[in-house]
PDB file of all heavy atoms in Angstrom:
ATOM      1  N   GLU A 141      61.348 -22.395  45.716  1.00 67.00           N
ATOM      2  CA  GLU A 141      60.877 -23.286  44.519  1.00 67.00           C
ATOM      3  C   GLU A 141      61.398 -24.656  44.776  1.00 67.00           C
ATOM      4  O   GLU A 141      62.598 -24.860  44.664  1.00 67.00           O
ATOM      5  CB  GLU A 141      61.231 -22.681  43.228  1.00 67.00           C
ATOM      6  CG  GLU A 141      60.721 -23.447  42.019  1.00 67.00           C
ATOM      7  CD  GLU A 141      61.348 -22.912  40.645  1.00 67.00           C
ATOM      8  OE1 GLU A 141      62.414 -23.241  40.260  1.00 67.00           O
ATOM      9  OE2 GLU A 141      60.774 -22.084  40.083  1.00 67.00           O
ATOM     10  N   LEU A 142      60.443 -25.554  44.997  1.00 66.00           N
ATOM     11  CA  LEU A 142      60.903 -27.044  45.168  1.00 66.00           C
ATOM     12  C   LEU A 142      61.187 -27.704  43.763  1.00 66.00           C
ATOM     13  O   LEU A 142      62.108 -28.380  43.732  1.00 66.00           O
ATOM     14  CB  LEU A 142      59.840 -27.743  45.904  1.00 66.00           C
ATOM     15  CG  LEU A 142      59.482 -27.213  47.432  1.00 66.00           C
ATOM     16  CD1 LEU A 142      58.341 -28.022  47.960  1.00 66.00           C
ATOM     17  CD2 LEU A 142      60.753 -27.372  48.230  1.00 66.00           C
ATOM     18  N   THR A 143      60.242 -27.434  42.869  1.00 66.00           N
ATOM     19  CA  THR A 143      60.368 -27.944  41.606  1.00 66.00           C
ATOM     20  C   THR A 143      59.764 -26.716  40.556  1.00 66.00           C
ATOM     21  O   THR A 143      59.230 -25.710  41.159  1.00 66.00           O
ATOM     22  CB  THR A 143      59.535 -29.191  41.326  1.00 66.00           C
ATOM     23  OG1 THR A 143      58.145 -28.893  41.291  1.00 66.00           O
ATOM     24  CG2 THR A 143      59.899 -30.277  42.350  1.00 66.00           C
ATOM     25  N   PRO A 144      59.945 -26.903  39.328  1.00 67.00           N
ATOM     26  CA  PRO A 144      59.301 -25.876  38.468  1.00 67.00           C
ATOM     27  C   PRO A 144      57.779 -25.722  38.771  1.00 67.00           C
ATOM     28  O   PRO A 144      57.235 -24.692  38.388  1.00 67.00           O
ATOM     29  CB  PRO A 144      59.564 -26.514  37.028  1.00 67.00           C
ATOM     30  CG  PRO A 144      60.835 -27.234  37.177  1.00 67.00           C
ATOM     31  CD  PRO A 144      60.660 -27.891  38.513  1.00 67.00           C
ATOM     32  N   ASP A 145      57.184 -26.727  39.310  1.00 78.00           N
ATOM     33  CA  ASP A 145      55.746 -26.700  39.520  1.00 78.00           C
ATOM     34  C   ASP A 145      55.265 -26.433  40.938  1.00 78.00           C
ATOM     35  O   ASP A 145      54.130 -26.000  41.229  1.00 78.00           O
ATOM     36  CB  ASP A 145      55.127 -28.015  39.060  1.00 78.00           C
ATOM     37  CG  ASP A 145      55.283 -28.258  37.588  1.00 78.00           C
ATOM     38  OD1 ASP A 145      55.143 -27.216  36.911  1.00 78.00           O
ATOM     39  OD2 ASP A 145      55.554 -29.368  37.168  1.00 78.00           O
ATOM     40  N   TYR A 146      56.147 -26.729  41.967  1.00 79.00           N
ATOM     41  CA  TYR A 146      55.712 -26.704  43.402  1.00 79.00           C
ATOM     42  C   TYR A 146      56.546 -25.713  44.145  1.00 79.00           C
ATOM     43  O   TYR A 146      57.702 -25.664  43.902  1.00 79.00           O
ATOM     44  CB  TYR A 146      55.677 -28.126  44.011  1.00 79.00           C
ATOM     45  CG  TYR A 146      54.574 -29.083  43.550  1.00 79.00           C
ATOM     46  CD1 TYR A 146      54.696 -29.780  42.399  1.00 79.00           C
ATOM     47  CD2 TYR A 146      53.419 -29.142  44.337  1.00 79.00           C
ATOM     48  CE1 TYR A 146      53.698 -30.635  42.032  1.00 79.00           C
ATOM     49  CE2 TYR A 146      52.448 -29.953  43.809  1.00 79.00           C
ATOM     50  CZ  TYR A 146      52.439 -30.735  42.782  1.00 79.00           C
ATOM     51  OH  TYR A 146      51.464 -31.467  42.296  1.00 79.00           O
ATOM     52  N   SER A 147      55.942 -25.040  45.099  1.00 80.00           N
ATOM     53  CA  SER A 147      56.740 -24.139  45.905  1.00 80.00           C
ATOM     54  C   SER A 147      56.235 -24.100  47.342  1.00 80.00           C
ATOM     55  O   SER A 147      55.132 -24.647  47.719  1.00 80.00           O
ATOM     56  CB  SER A 147      56.422 -22.597  45.285  1.00 80.00           C
ATOM     57  OG  SER A 147      56.737 -22.601  43.939  1.00 80.00           O
ATOM     58  N   SER A 207      52.545 -24.020  42.138  1.00 83.00           N
ATOM     59  CA  SER A 207      52.890 -22.605  42.112  1.00 83.00           C
ATOM     60  C   SER A 207      51.788 -21.816  41.567  1.00 83.00           C
ATOM     61  O   SER A 207      51.395 -20.767  41.985  1.00 83.00           O
ATOM     62  CB  SER A 207      54.113 -22.404  41.256  1.00 83.00           C
ATOM     63  OG  SER A 207      55.263 -23.104  41.850  1.00 83.00           O
TER      64      SER A 207
END
Side-chain angles (χ1 to χ4, degrees):
E141 183 182 87
L142 298 176
T143 72
D145 298 320
Y146 287 86
S147 306
S207 301

